[in-house]
Amino acid sequence: MEIKNLSIEEITKLTKKGEVSVKEIAKQTLEYIKEKENTIRSFINIDEEKVLKDAEKLDGSEKKGKLFGVPVAIKDNMNLEGTETTAGSKILKGYISPYTATAVRKLIQEGALIIGKTNMDEFAMGSSTENSAFFKTHNPVNPEHVPGGSSGGSAAAVRAGEVTASLGSDTGGSIREPAAFCGVIGMKPTYGRVSRYGLIAFASSLDQIGPFARNVKDAAVMLEVIAGFDPNDETSVQRTDTDFTSLLEKEIKGKKIGLIKEVMDFDLQEEVKNSFEKTASALQKLGAEITEVSIPHLKYSLPAYYIIAPSEASANLSRFDGVRYGLLVEDKNLRETYEKTRTEGFGTEVKRRILIGTFALSAGYYDAYYLKASRVRRLIEKDFEKAFEKVDTLLTPTTAKTAFKIGEITNPLEMYMNDIFTIPVNLAGLPAISVPSGTDKKGLPIGMQLIGKWFEESELLQIAYAMEKEIGG
Amino acid sequence: MIDLKKYEKLAALNLSKEEKEKIEKDLEEIINYFEMLKEVNTEGVEPYVYTKGAKLFLRKDVPGKTLDKKALEKNRKLFDGKFYKVKKIMGD
């Protein structure tokens, strides 16, 4: 039985009945990954021995859990006790996690088989996974193209069939953009829905862990597993409405879906535009009411984000000084040891963002940049509040264009523009999902983004499920 | 032109000449791009701090489990089981 194209439901049915052992799944998965990794390179680190041992342990256990025996990958910025966690950076090379992130622990509790750690842009800063300090990941659909980023490895691994599902983290689109580029489902939950404990912080007010999967139902199951209150994350919310699967198959007749009119102000690739229109009419056919709404501050979300995220990053990344973990380059005194370690350990994009953040937070500029951006962020939140008075969900393309070629974009601002439709969602703390919706002329996947109300993931997934069925991925 | 040296110092970085030239140019462009925010009237707007629905909470004041010291030791040769030993910070 070949498991690489099966869904979570199909796999767990087999494993729970004992028709396929988890060891068999582990072996198949590792073998297939070996074959695929020559071209894709999704993984930074796979400990084969551990995977096989974990599989044996699962086989010897009571066969239960929502993910029993399901091969899952995690982004390399999530701690898993006893394994190397690098966040795609040289500065963390050799760092062995002393504990496990809550989201990962929850996967394990439900019987998931953790296969390995996936490649990413260094500290999740990037939209193409080209900023990994180790190597580039290739888009499984066309290896000359980027898989998107920063969770490019997690998206590519799922698309290539290396794993059934994976976890990524999304600060400005780092789950949804690679999901769109690789043609898989990628979901960013409401801020606070999933614990960030054990996730290496980039921008703490924006970061959120979420799933990649090949279908909406699998993504819903994954979210159900990882969501929930965690006292170890002070921004974690105390809610118990974490059933994301019961409503999936309910019809969406009468749902109000808003199209953000400002989206059309941006330069959309022809096929993306067509797909957007096609998706809207498909939803209409399902009985949804389509209305136009406005997010007047949409275009300001990019500059606001590129002040807020680097500001938070400059503070978060100050902990990497060579003293407690990772790279250490000693010099004659402590100050110079810090400087040498950080200068050698961080890549160019990370340094660029640390410097932007340091500038935006510095005396004399704080009000004009950081505080101003935080006020604009409030206005963006209010725009969404207003839009959601009229509609249940919003629809936009996930990205304006399909995956670009490796090496094609070298200007940082041009790279940042990739996230124009995903960034506002993080600024407002909303949940959103990217669903595949056809391909362009070159066969590269197009993704559509549905944005839900705060904590309405259940409804969001319901609409995504209907949309997936209608437009057929 | 921003005084890059000042921010390097604040961020404990010491860029090479080539990297400095590249980053200086990028930073100019990026900071210019931020100027766009001046168009937005934010008078009387409260800065965004916490996400909707987020309620900060305090944990009960009871000691919990701490990380295993052995695991921490594995990560740093400067850790002697009790303290992190670093280079001197003052004088010569």
Side-chain angles (χ1 to χ4, degrees), chain A residues 94-96 98-99 191 229 231-234 236-238 297 299-300 302-303 306-307 322-326 330-331 333-335 339 342-343 348 351-352 354-356 358-359 362 365 369 372 374-375 377-379 381 385 411-413 427-428 454-455, chain B residues 2 4 6-16 19 22-23 26-27 29-31 33-42 44-57 59 67-68 71-72 74-78 84 86-89:
Chain A
Y95 164 64
I96 305 297
Y99 69 108
Y191 183 82
F229 174 64
N232 284 331
D233 172 2
E234 68 154 2
S236 163
V237 292
Q238 310 196 35
H297 296 91
K299 73 168 178 177
Y300 300 107
L302 207 64
Y306 276 97
I307 291 170
V323 174
R324 283 151 301 169
Y325 24 63
E330 287 195 272
D331 205 336
N333 59 40
L334 188 60
R335 174 75 205 179
E339 284 183 8
R342 289 165 63 80
T343 304
T348 305
K351 288 177 192 156
R352 194 183 286 130
I354 288 175
L355 288 164
I356 296 171
T358 308
F359 165 79
S362 64
Y365 292 112
Y369 291 96
K372 179 79 182 182
S374 303
R375 293 187 206 279
R377 185 176 181 184
R378 175 71 73 197
L379 293 173
E381 181 197 49
E385 258 172 39
N411 179 283
L413 262 184
L427 287 174
W454 290 271
F455 301 106
Chain B
I2 76 161
L4 197 56
K6 176 179 157 191
Y7 299 105
E8 276 182 70
K9 198 92 203 147
L10 284 171
L13 290 169
N14 189 2
L15 304 182
S16 69
E19 209 165 21
K22 167 100 186 73
I23 287 185
D26 294 340
L27 247 53
E29 197 184 334
I30 293 164
I31 291 165
Y33 180 64
F34 294 160
E35 295 299 303
M36 194 204 244
L37 292 181
K38 286 196 178 143
E39 295 165 16
V40 188
N41 180 4
T42 52
V45 177
E46 272 296 299
Y48 184 104
V49 184
Y50 295 114
T51 313
K52 269 176 140 14
K55 259 191 243 142
L56 295 190
F57 59 91
R59 268 184 285 166
L67 295 181
D68 178 16
L72 300 180
K74 241 191 262 171
N75 275 304
R76 180 49 61 225
K77 54 182 188 223
L78 298 179
Y84 288 95
V86 296
K87 291 263 178 186
K88 64 178 172 186
I89 54 170

Side-chain angles (χ1 to χ4, degrees), chain A residues 170-192:
Chain A
D170 191 315
T171 307
S174 280
I175 290 174
R176 291 157 289 154
E177 188 243 21
F181 279 10
C182 290
V184 296
I185 307 287
M187 182 170 188
K188 176 217 167 287
T190 310
Y191 183 82

Side-chain angles (χ1 to χ4, degrees), chain A residues 285-399:
Chain A
K285 217 178 105 197
L286 292 169
E289 284 170 37
I290 306 287
T291 10
E292 197 179 75
V293 295
S294 173
I295 303 289
H297 296 91
L298 185 80
K299 73 168 178 177
Y300 300 107
S301 49
L302 207 64
Y305 175 87
Y306 276 97
I307 291 170
I308 292 165
S311 295
E312 293 184 22
S314 73
N316 275 327
L317 270 58
S318 66
R319 61 170 63 93
F320 301 105
D321 56 12
V323 174
R324 283 151 301 169
Y325 24 63
L327 182 76
L328 169 69
V329 188
E330 287 195 272
D331 205 336
K332 53 182 184 298
N333 59 40
L334 188 60
R335 174 75 205 179
E336 282 179 31
T337 299
Y338 288 165
E339 284 183 8
K340 277 245 161 89
T341 301
R342 289 165 63 80
T343 304
E344 258 184 52
F346 290 137
T348 305
E349 180 61 22
V350 174
K351 288 177 192 156
R352 194 183 286 130
R353 296 208 200 182
I354 288 175
L355 288 164
I356 296 171
T358 308
F359 165 79
L361 292 175
S362 64
Y365 292 112
Y366 178 85
D367 286 7
Y369 291 96
Y370 184 75
L371 208 58
K372 179 79 182 182
S374 303
R375 293 187 206 279
V376 172
R377 185 176 181 184
R378 175 71 73 197
L379 293 173
I380 292 163
E381 181 197 49
K382 286 200 186 308
D383 283 354
F384 277 110
E385 258 172 39
K386 226 171 135 196
F388 282 126
E389 281 170 13
K390 286 199 281 183
V391 297
D392 303 305
T393 311
L394 298 165
L395 177 73
T396 75
T398 310
T399 56

Side-chain angles (χ1 to χ4, degrees), chain A residues 65-137:
Chain A
K66 284 181 185 167
L67 298 171
F68 188 78
V70 176
V72 174
I74 56 174
K75 189 176 180 178
D76 201 33
N77 58 355
M78 293 171 210
N79 281 285
L80 172 60
E81 193 178 337
T83 68
E84 190 183 41
T85 303
T86 69
S89 181
K90 263 199 297 197
I91 210 163
L92 276 175
K93 188 77 194 133
Y95 164 64
I96 305 297
S97 295
Y99 69 108
T100 299
T102 301
V104 179
R105 181 175 53 77
K106 287 182 157 211
L107 294 178
I108 296 169
Q109 273 171 352
E110 290 294 328
L113 179 67
I114 309 294
I115 298 296
K117 317 287 279 290
T118 56
N119 199 19
M120 55 184 285
D121 286 300
E122 186 177 359
F123 286 107
M125 296 176 187
S127 313
S128 67
T129 314
E130 292 169 294
N131 289 338
S132 163
F134 306 116
F135 49 83
K136 294 174 176 60
T137 296

